[in-house]
Amino acid sequence: SSGINAEWPLRPGMVLRNMVSFEEVDDDLEGEVKEECSKYGAVKKVVIYQEAQSEDEDSEVIVKIFVQFHKSSNCEVAITGLNGRWFGGKTIQATLYEEQRFLRDDLSG
């Protein structure tokens, strides 16, 4: 969405991969992620991004969850706490996400 720039100022974020499958995305997911990540510090925003891997109708869809904290130190602690952790039978990949990519509405990383 083109409005993400205004909502996501210059703050470091993290991206969670392999936390849920496309079929597991529901209306509660954003709140659940925010609640889980709040253990590491105050969460400013959560963005659920579903990315088709090709133009084909039956293309695999990867779900990436972007989390922004009020303090960058909380982001680092969350990545340490979540990366490699088991969640619903999957191993979460948590990594830092570059601020400049958010500014360009680039959620493809």
Side-chain angles (χ1 to χ4, degrees):
S1 91
S2 61
I4 197 166
N5 286 353
E7 299 171 39
W8 205 301
L10 275 169
R11 292 179 193 274
M14 108 177 136
V15 59
L16 301 171
R17 294 179 181 86
N18 203 41
M19 189 169 184
V20 295
S21 67
F22 173 68
E23 293 81 12
E24 295 170 308
V25 174
D26 59 25
D27 292 341
D28 299 326
L29 181 59
E30 187 177 320
E32 291 168 356
V33 170
K34 187 169 187 174
E35 183 178 340
E36 181 65 28
C37 290
S38 291
K39 296 174 182 174
Y40 303 100
V43 174
K44 183 169 178 62
K45 188 159 183 64
V46 173
V47 175
I48 310 294
Y49 182 66
Q50 300 174 46
E51 181 179 78
Q53 298 305 292
S54 76
E55 298 296 320
D56 299 334
E57 275 187 37
D58 59 350
S59 169
E60 180 187 7
V61 177
I62 292 178
V63 179
K64 293 187 272 191
I65 303 170
F66 296 87
V67 182
Q68 180 188 42
F69 290 88
H70 284 280
K71 294 182 180 175
S72 57
S73 57
N74 297 145
C75 187
E76 293 161 16
V77 171
I79 288 170
T80 301
L82 292 170
N83 190 45
R85 188 171 139 199
W86 280 88
F87 182 85
K90 297 178 179 66
T91 306
I92 298 172
Q93 297 170 348
T95 54
L96 198 62
Y97 203 72
E98 301 166 28
E99 298 170 74
Q100 294 303 318
R101 296 184 82 165
F102 284 128
L103 291 179
R104 295 193 307 266
D105 290 339
D106 178 2
L107 302 181
S108 63

